[in-house]
Structures are given as C-alpha cells and as structure tokens.
Amino acid sequence: MNKNSFFYKAFDLYYDGFRSMTLGKTLWLIIAIKLFIMFAILKVFFFPNFIGQHTEKGGEADFVAGQLEMRNDVKQP
C-alpha cells in the first residue's frame, strides 16, 4: 500500500493513537463489554422472537400489517 494514500494515513493515525493509550484501552474494554451484554445477553432474555413464533416463514409482513391494523382500530373511536 502506498504510504501517501488516505487509507494508510487513517490506519496509521488510529494505530498510533490506540498504541499509546493507557486509560483509553480500559475505557474501550468497558464499552465493548457493555455492548456485548446489551446485544448478546439481554436480547436473548428480554426480546424474544415474537413474530417468528406466531407466523410461518414468509408470512411475517402480513402478521405485522394485521397487528398494526388491529391496534389502529382500537385507538380510533
């Protein structure tokens, strides 16, 4: 790769920045752990696959449309 290219300069900037970090590495590790907990663990326990359990393959759009219509009918007097 050419050392004057944009991608090399951007990579070099971030590489040098992360290499010289002390407190920043710890903070990035904490951020990564929190993201893993939010997206991997909490998703499994608190966000079940409701649409997949109540429809067959290929009928997801009809199920969602029906639910939206049903909720819209309830809200309107």
Side-chain angles (χ1 to χ4, degrees), residues 3 8 12-14 18-19 26-30 32 42-44 50 52-55 59-60 66 68 70 75:
K3 290 189 176 192
Y8 182 80
D12 194 39
L13 174 74
Y14 284 104
F18 282 113
R19 186 175 42 171
T26 307
L27 294 175
W28 277 109
L29 179 65
I30 292 170
L42 292 179
K43 182 184 182 306
V44 172
F50 186 79
Q53 293 172 351
H54 291 87
T55 62
E60 294 90 354
L68 290 173
M70 182 179 64
K75 288 182 181 180

Side-chain angles (χ1 to χ4, degrees), residues 6-25:
F6 170 77
F7 294 111
Y8 182 80
K9 289 180 182 179
F11 173 77
D12 194 39
L13 174 74
Y14 284 104
Y15 183 75
D16 286 341
F18 282 113
R19 186 175 42 171
S20 62
M21 278 187 189
T22 54
L23 178 63
K25 287 181 184 178

Side-chain angles (χ1 to χ4, degrees), residues 50-51 54 62-77:
F50 186 79
I51 295 174
H54 291 87
D62 294 330
F63 176 75
V64 172
Q67 292 294 315
L68 290 173
E69 289 174 356
M70 182 179 64
R71 291 181 186 193
N72 191 24
D73 291 341
V74 171
K75 288 182 181 180
Q76 292 180 353

